[in-house]
Amino acid sequence: MSCVHYRFQSRLTYDSLQFEGLNITVGELKRQIMRRERLKFCQLKISKAQTDEEYTDDDALIPKNTSVIIRRVPAAGLKSSNRRFVGHQAGPSAKSSQTGDSSLLSLEQLLKTENLAEAKASEEDKLKAVMYQSSLCYYSSRAAALLRLSASGGAQGFPAASCWRWTTQTERES
């Protein structure tokens, strides 16, 4: 049995892949590594560990007992998923509800709508309405009014947690 030693660029240790014969093609090595590592939706770039020379042809032969370095790259046509969450940014859906587009329902109207699936509104506003309506049964009428106010953006200066603490304290006192 012959083998090729490979490691991903992010790993420290080498793994071995056994095969029959004196050589293995780059394409066959890629298929076996993807199957063994359970990789999907990516392409592999293989280069020699000693010289850092990249194998570009899938029909190129890699001799037995060779050490290679594997790099994962997104598949052609797929976007990279390296996204960072920065914070809440007003997207186009929030702008459309504020600019006065008459065909879309406002968030205030959505909070009172029963069938949100067929309502004409932006997805962001629909999600806010769903979150509001699903949590409505857990709060008193006063807390629900504060929740509705914060969902529609009316209480922008107050964090929601302090509103809830204030509401629950005043309800306990009365």
Side-chain angles (χ1 to χ4, degrees), residues 33-171:
I33 290 174
M34 289 186 73
R35 186 171 5 122
R36 185 174 184 181
E37 299 288 332
R38 297 182 183 147
L39 299 174
K40 296 179 183 177
F41 309 119
C42 69
Q43 291 180 348
L44 301 178
K45 289 190 176 184
I46 299 177
S47 60
K48 292 182 184 178
Q50 290 80 13
T51 62
D52 209 27
E53 176 187 340
E54 186 176 331
Y55 291 103
T56 56
D57 185 19
D58 279 354
D59 294 330
L61 296 175
I62 299 175
K64 66 178 183 177
N65 297 325
T66 302
S67 297
V68 294
I69 296 176
I70 310 294
R71 291 178 185 86
R72 284 182 284 214
V73 293
L78 294 177
K79 293 182 179 179
S80 176
S81 63
N82 292 338
R83 295 181 184 153
R84 294 183 185 161
F85 181 74
V86 177
H88 178 69
Q89 297 176 352
S93 60
K95 290 178 185 173
S96 65
S97 64
Q98 293 174 354
T99 56
D101 190 1
S102 61
S103 65
L104 296 179
L105 293 175
S106 68
L107 182 59
E108 195 63 37
Q109 292 170 333
L110 276 177
L111 294 178
K112 298 173 186 173
T113 305
E114 290 182 15
N115 189 359
L116 292 172
E118 296 176 3
K120 291 186 178 183
S122 65
E123 289 297 316
E124 185 177 328
D125 287 345
K126 285 183 183 181
L127 286 173
K128 285 181 183 178
V130 166
M131 295 297 289
Y132 166 73
Q133 288 180 356
S134 66
S135 62
L136 195 59
C137 64
Y138 296 108
Y139 301 109
S140 67
S141 61
R142 186 173 201 183
L146 282 173
L147 181 63
R148 183 174 50 245
L149 211 116
S150 65
S152 63
Q156 293 176 355
F158 300 101
S162 65
C163 290
W164 295 118
R165 275 190 243 118
W166 177 79
T167 304
T168 54
Q169 287 174 357
T170 55
E171 287 178 354

Side-chain angles (χ1 to χ4, degrees), residues 8-48:
F8 285 92
Q9 189 174 9
S10 60
R11 292 186 187 166
L12 297 176
T13 59
Y14 282 90
D15 292 320
S16 297
L17 185 72
Q18 294 184 351
F19 61 93
E20 294 288 329
L22 299 175
N23 301 315
I24 187 170
T25 63
V26 173
E28 182 62 29
L29 180 64
K30 286 180 183 180
R31 279 189 289 281
Q32 287 188 15
I33 290 174
M34 289 186 73
R35 186 171 5 122
R36 185 174 184 181
E37 299 288 332
R38 297 182 183 147
L39 299 174
K40 296 179 183 177
F41 309 119
C42 69
Q43 291 180 348
L44 301 178
K45 289 190 176 184
I46 299 177
S47 60
K48 292 182 184 178

